[in-house]
Amino acid sequence: RLGRPRRRLRVGMVTLAFVFSLYGGRLIQLQVTDSAGFAARAAADRTADVTLYATRGSILDADGKPLAESVDAVDVIADPLVIAQSKQDPAVYASKLAAYLGNPAGSADVAALRTKLSASTSQYAVLARQVTPEVWKKIKALGLTGITGNSDPEVVYPQGALAANAVGFVNSAGQGAAGLEQEYDSVLAGSNGKISYQAAYGYEIPTTGINEKAAVDGTSVETTIDSKIQWTAQQALDQVVKSTDADQATIVVMDPRSGAVLALASSPSYDPSDLSAATAAELGDAAVSEVFEPGSVAKVVTMSAELQQGVTNPGTKVVVPPLLYTGDGYTVHDDTTHGTEHLTLNGILAESSNIGTDLSSEQLAPNDMTERNAILYDYFSAFGLGRTSGLGLPGESPGILAPAADWNHSQQYTVAFGQGLAVNAIQATSVYATIANQGVRVTPTLVKGYVSADGGFTPAAAPARTQVVSAKVANEVSEMLESVVSDQGTAAAAEIPGYRVAGKTGTANRFVASCSGYCGHTASFIGYAPADSPRLVMGVFVEGPQGANYFGGSVAAPVFQKVMSYALQEQSVAPTGTKAPDLPLKW
């Protein structure tokens, strides 16, 4: 049977027309309907982005000298696709680069470099971050195709470990991870920029243009830290920790008039330039994160409450028995055994009598322990205890000050002399700064102001000021504190020749987790000078001193004397030339 060629021709033509219509439709889709989308996708595939890193702001001391600053550094970048297309051997590249990108001992991970350089489908591989400009200059001189550098400033700490716990450090991602670096990260960091350009096979296409978004450099933070006082405090702390085998120690130095913290030292500390040598505990700031029972240094709050309420005065006479029996099984002791004593309120503070403090505080609400406790709580809270200090460092503990209604039986007696509550070093020092500042509490601060990238200075907001007790009461308490720093008191070792010094020792029982109880001590001394015109307040806290000598008067007071003597000279504070009052201790 013969075929019908005309029919086959028609079928073939229809089939061809259908196929061509499909191709035509696809062409219309590519060139008309979806052309913009495909063009954008192609442009995106050709687009190369380069990050322009912002220069991080510095952290400066009170004289404007950097404690932390950014210096020039370069990221070494490879384009493995270009290396492959230019017929270069990744192994040779790795060998040449290893001499400059190895560790300090000189041995580089050549295999790791070779792996990065051999990823021929990639156009971006970071071989090393933040090498010095000198190293990059040597790498650039090798003339290796496909190897480029990108500016990426590095944070360094030119004064080493000085104030490390307050300053903090920057992590590998360039973010503040502790201290001021963390608290002010958004201010210091600035914002990165970007350069975008069209490229083919790793090379810029000249006619496509470049889009650039400039980086915005960070703002520097100028602190209140006096580097000279900070260094002296750190050396003294390291010595006392070593000599007493203590767990740790802290010094806080403040200007009571402004709330400025001039030194914030902890031992042991660390060097932010070498975090590998630091323990997790050392990376925080013990001055704000570690809390302890303050002991007798808290008696100044109880005395202030009594004087402000008008129920006692420095000469109030108190009979102090050898022991104070509460009538329900609890007994209050003094640190040293004694017979019945006849002490004035001033003598109770000078001799640091727990029993005398409890007896005098009963005058706040005779025969009503609930009311008396409520009054004490209000004053402890007004002095800043039981809440964060306002210093603004990460990890700060508010301490522990339970509401008066929640005080157990022993706390109703022990809070008055500094047990049954917990504070940090900043809080405790701030109490004495309040007395030194005529009864006005100024929120502690570490930041003086901010320096923009163009050098403009913006002062920090003024700290809050609160009148806690009257100037009259503050002056009375201050004169009582001078009796402590005398041959009759517990802190003769804190005396500074030529200066009037006021202060108080503390020797508190310390809770230690390893023994699940009180099996250690916190030795402390907080004081200020000149007592009649206070310029500097200093708190010294030594936690866990070993041996029989663990008292605040013999462990912490000598450290105060050494550091305060230097600080007064460094700040050009002259003696006032006046005589300390001679208040009676006994009757």
Side-chain angles (χ1 to χ4, degrees), residues 106-188:
S107 61
D109 191 346
V110 178
L113 284 174
R114 181 176 179 179
T115 299
K116 291 181 178 181
L117 292 163
S118 300
S120 58
T121 58
S122 170
Q123 289 186 257
Y124 188 86
V126 179
L127 303 183
R129 289 197 180 278
Q130 297 178 325
V131 303
T132 65
E134 292 75 15
V135 169
W136 168 241
K137 185 177 180 179
K138 293 176 181 178
I139 292 174
K140 191 175 180 181
L142 296 174
L144 301 177
T145 302
I147 302 298
T148 57
N150 186 23
S151 176
D152 183 7
E154 178 186 16
V155 177
V156 297
Y157 303 89
Q159 298 193 54
L162 188 75
N165 299 94
V167 172
F169 59 89
V170 174
N171 62 23
S172 58
Q175 300 169 333
L180 293 168
E181 291 277 26
Q182 179 179 341
E183 185 67 21
Y184 292 92
D185 186 62
S186 60
V187 174
L188 294 163

Side-chain angles (χ1 to χ4, degrees), residues 272-491:
S273 300
D274 183 16
L275 297 179
S276 63
T279 65
E282 292 169 355
L283 294 178
D285 195 332
V288 295
S289 62
E290 294 293 325
V291 297
F292 50 88
E293 297 191 34
S296 294
V297 294
K299 289 173 182 171
V300 71
V301 178
T302 302
M303 301 295 181
S304 296
E306 295 175 28
L307 296 175
Q308 185 66 34
Q309 294 295 113
V311 298
T312 61
N313 61 65
T316 294
K317 299 175 181 179
V318 181
V319 177
V320 181
L323 297 171
L324 178 60
Y325 299 100
T326 65
D328 46 12
Y330 186 75
T331 304
V332 179
H333 303 259
D334 279 334
D335 280 340
T336 56
T337 57
H338 58 77
T340 298
E341 295 184 310
H342 295 76
L343 300 178
T344 62
L345 188 69
N346 183 63
I348 289 170
L349 191 62
E351 294 190 7
S352 200
S353 171
N354 298 337
I355 297 170
T357 301
D358 264 336
L359 290 172
S360 67
S361 70
E362 289 177 357
Q363 299 305 309
L364 288 168
N367 304 315
D368 190 342
M369 183 66 82
T370 300
E371 177 64 18
R372 172 248 193 201
N373 291 344
I375 294 172
L376 276 181
Y377 174 85
D378 288 343
Y379 276 92
F380 274 88
S381 180
F383 272 100
L385 307 186
R387 54 191 170 92
T388 54
S389 66
L391 190 64
L393 283 179
E396 179 174 359
S397 169
I400 301 171
L401 178 63
D406 295 336
W407 292 358
N408 61 33
H409 179 68
S410 63
Q411 282 178 298
Q412 296 185 52
Y413 295 94
T414 62
V415 168
F417 53 81
Q419 300 277 180
L421 72 158
V423 300
N424 63 39
I426 285 287
Q427 291 172 323
T429 306
S430 179
V431 168
Y432 284 72
T434 299
I435 296 298
N437 193 41
Q438 300 287 292
V440 178
R441 183 182 187 273
V442 183
T443 300
T445 180
L446 261 174
V447 176
K448 183 190 295 186
Y450 309 93
V451 183
S452 63
D454 61 7
F457 179 78
T458 303
R465 305 172 70 87
T466 306
Q467 188 84 46
V468 178
V469 295
S470 69
K472 177 179 180 294
V473 166
N475 289 331
E476 288 178 335
V477 173
S478 186
E479 291 183 348
M480 291 167 64
L481 288 171
E482 286 192 76
S483 298
V484 178
V485 189
S486 69
D487 293 339
Q488 302 177 79
T490 58

Side-chain angles (χ1 to χ4, degrees), residues 485 491-496 501 525 553 557-558 560-561:
V485 189
E495 290 184 287
I496 299 175
V501 178
F525 180 84
F560 168 91
Q561 196 275 344

